[in-house]
Amino acid sequence: MAEVQSVQALASSLGALPPEFVRPEHEQPRATTFRGAAPPEIPVVDMSSPDAGRRMAEAAAEWGIFQVVGHGVPADAVAALQRVGRGFFALPQEEKQRYAMDPGEGRTEGYGSTLRKGDLEGKKAWADFLFHNVAPPAAVNHAVWPESPEGYRDANEAYCGHMVRLTRELFGRLSAELGLDEGAMAEAFGGDDVVLLQKINFYPPCPQPELALGLAPHTDMSTLTVLLSDEVQGLQVFKDGCWYDVNYVPGALIIHIGDQIEIMSNGRYKAVLHRTTVSREKTRMSWPVFVEPPPEHVVGPHRQLVADEFPAKYKAKKFKDYKYCKINKLPQ
């Protein structure tokens, strides 16, 4: 099994940031984060309000991101997911190593680190992670789910059940605001076969956070991402030439619009460009759930959203082919 060289272990022994983590100046948080007095506010939508669908659609079109409260995910399910996630990263390195991913051996789920591979310039991000599919049952491999801490499987399965329900509700409202049937978006992405991938991001304290990133700028290749964050500041989004902090809202879940919704909506909703910063003093953790079409499922602009005056902006493509091109930075 390939050994994971973790940022968590590296961070405990450093006094200065190694050069492979120093971002180019045009990407460094200290130089590119908006510091004005009144940044625009990323929308926070109460899903129980009568105008929730309209406000989510407006945010999806303008920002590609919004936060939701009144989402119906119980606080105890959230707390249990966070407890077992923190517990996993508190395990000894040799125990975490049991679940190491190794794409060369066909293990594409499990425990890993951004130390494995840099970007095209050789720069690395400041993060470790654990991820695995949680739905549908046919896509789940429990062998890559940690046995410790106690209750890991129960907490993830319970939280996943709420994510399946919430995802359908989000799809339905975003579909209706496009003038489509509420079930149109779910159908476009594979219906009951849609894949939910649970990830835990772990960003340890960084000796020079003004020079580093936890995750480099990107859009998610998924349909949407439901992100649970702790209270440590870190998520930033790009809009109108600036990087803006996403403020922590207690009890909220952050919804990222991904590439597949942008494609399906023929560009009416926008995938959000985002990145993650890190802290000098504090560990930050987040729990994103990526909602993806099945690998063989074809996604393209919805036929009702294409007309002579609104030609298709994107090619229809199997999700596995889209994913391959995106990961390998090939033209779509």
Side-chain angles (χ1 to χ4, degrees), residues 137-186:
V140 174
N141 175 14
H142 285 123
V144 300
W145 291 37
E147 296 175 7
S148 296
E150 185 177 355
Y152 183 92
R153 178 169 173 176
D154 288 345
N156 276 265
E157 288 180 340
Y159 187 76
C160 173
H162 296 293
M163 290 298 101
V164 170
R165 188 269 309 161
L166 179 60
T167 295
R168 282 302 183 112
E169 186 172 350
L170 291 165
F171 282 167
R173 296 195 185 199
L174 291 172
S175 291
E177 294 297 324
L178 291 171
L180 304 175
D181 292 340
E182 285 196 0
M185 192 171 282

Side-chain angles (χ1 to χ4, degrees), residues 11-326:
S12 64
S13 62
L14 286 180
L17 193 67
E20 64 266 27
F21 291 99
V22 177
R23 309 302 301 189
E25 188 170 355
H26 69 276
E27 289 186 0
Q28 292 174 9
R30 68 177 176 184
T32 57
T33 299
F34 180 82
R35 300 300 184 195
E41 292 188 2
I42 294 160
V44 179
V45 181
D46 184 345
M47 293 186 68
S48 66
S49 66
D51 64 345
R54 174 185 60 79
R55 293 191 61 216
M56 288 191 288
E58 289 174 351
E62 181 182 359
W63 283 91
I65 189 171
F66 50 93
Q67 302 198 59
V68 292
V69 295
H71 45 64
V73 181
D76 58 353
V78 169
L81 185 79
Q82 292 181 310
R83 177 185 62 79
V84 297
R86 292 186 178 110
F88 175 79
F89 279 94
L91 294 172
Q93 183 64 23
E94 57 270 22
E95 175 69 11
K96 295 195 291 286
Q97 179 66 36
R98 290 178 54 197
Y99 304 99
M101 61 183 296
D102 187 354
E105 296 293 327
R107 292 190 298 276
T108 56
E109 301 174 65
Y111 170 60
S113 171
T114 55
L115 286 182
R116 172 184 285 274
K117 184 179 179 182
D119 60 18
L120 293 177
E121 290 76 39
K123 298 300 181 182
K124 296 180 178 180
W126 190 261
D128 297 330
F129 53 82
L130 173 71
F131 72 93
H132 50 72
N133 291 341
V134 290
V140 174
N141 175 14
H142 285 123
V144 300
W145 291 37
E147 296 175 7
S148 296
E150 185 177 355
Y152 183 92
R153 178 169 173 176
D154 288 345
N156 276 265
E157 288 180 340
Y159 187 76
C160 173
H162 296 293
M163 290 298 101
V164 170
R165 188 269 309 161
L166 179 60
T167 295
R168 282 302 183 112
E169 186 172 350
L170 291 165
F171 282 167
R173 296 195 185 199
L174 291 172
S175 291
E177 294 297 324
L178 291 171
L180 304 175
D181 292 340
E182 285 196 0
M185 192 171 282
E187 180 183 355
F189 299 136
D192 291 339
D193 294 325
V194 69
V195 177
L196 272 62
L197 189 157
Q198 175 74 64
K199 188 178 183 185
I200 310 172
N201 291 315
F202 184 92
Y203 308 101
C206 177
Q208 293 177 286
E210 69 278 5
L211 304 179
L213 289 174
L215 288 176
H218 66 286
T219 60
D220 292 343
M221 67 183 78
S222 56
T223 66
L224 55 77
T225 304
V226 181
L227 178 75
L228 167 65
S229 179
D230 66 12
E231 68 280 1
V232 180
Q233 182 68 54
L235 179 63
Q236 294 187 330
V237 298
F238 189 77
K239 186 176 187 291
D240 299 331
C242 292
W243 286 100
Y244 296 102
D245 290 320
V246 178
N247 292 328
Y248 174 72
V249 176
L253 294 170
I254 303 170
I255 311 301
H256 295 197
I257 300 299
D259 296 346
Q260 302 308 303
I261 282 184
E262 180 170 323
I263 292 167
M264 179 269 178
S265 70
N266 204 24
R268 298 192 192 187
Y269 298 145
K270 307 296 185 184
V272 63
L273 184 64
H274 57 287
R275 69 183 186 183
T276 301
T277 61
V278 291
S279 168
R280 189 184 306 274
E281 297 86 15
K282 297 179 179 179
T283 292
R284 178 175 181 266
M285 294 183 67
S286 66
W287 289 259
V289 173
F290 300 97
V291 184
E292 300 181 346
E296 298 288 340
H297 194 77
V298 176
V299 177
H302 195 281
R303 63 185 182 279
Q304 290 179 239
L305 302 177
V306 176
D308 291 341
E309 64 271 31
F310 299 111
K313 297 180 179 181
Y314 311 91
K315 296 177 182 177
K317 184 174 289 189
K318 288 183 179 180
F319 180 64
K320 69 174 185 180
D321 296 333
Y322 184 91
K323 191 172 184 178
Y324 178 85
C325 291
K326 177 124 180 177

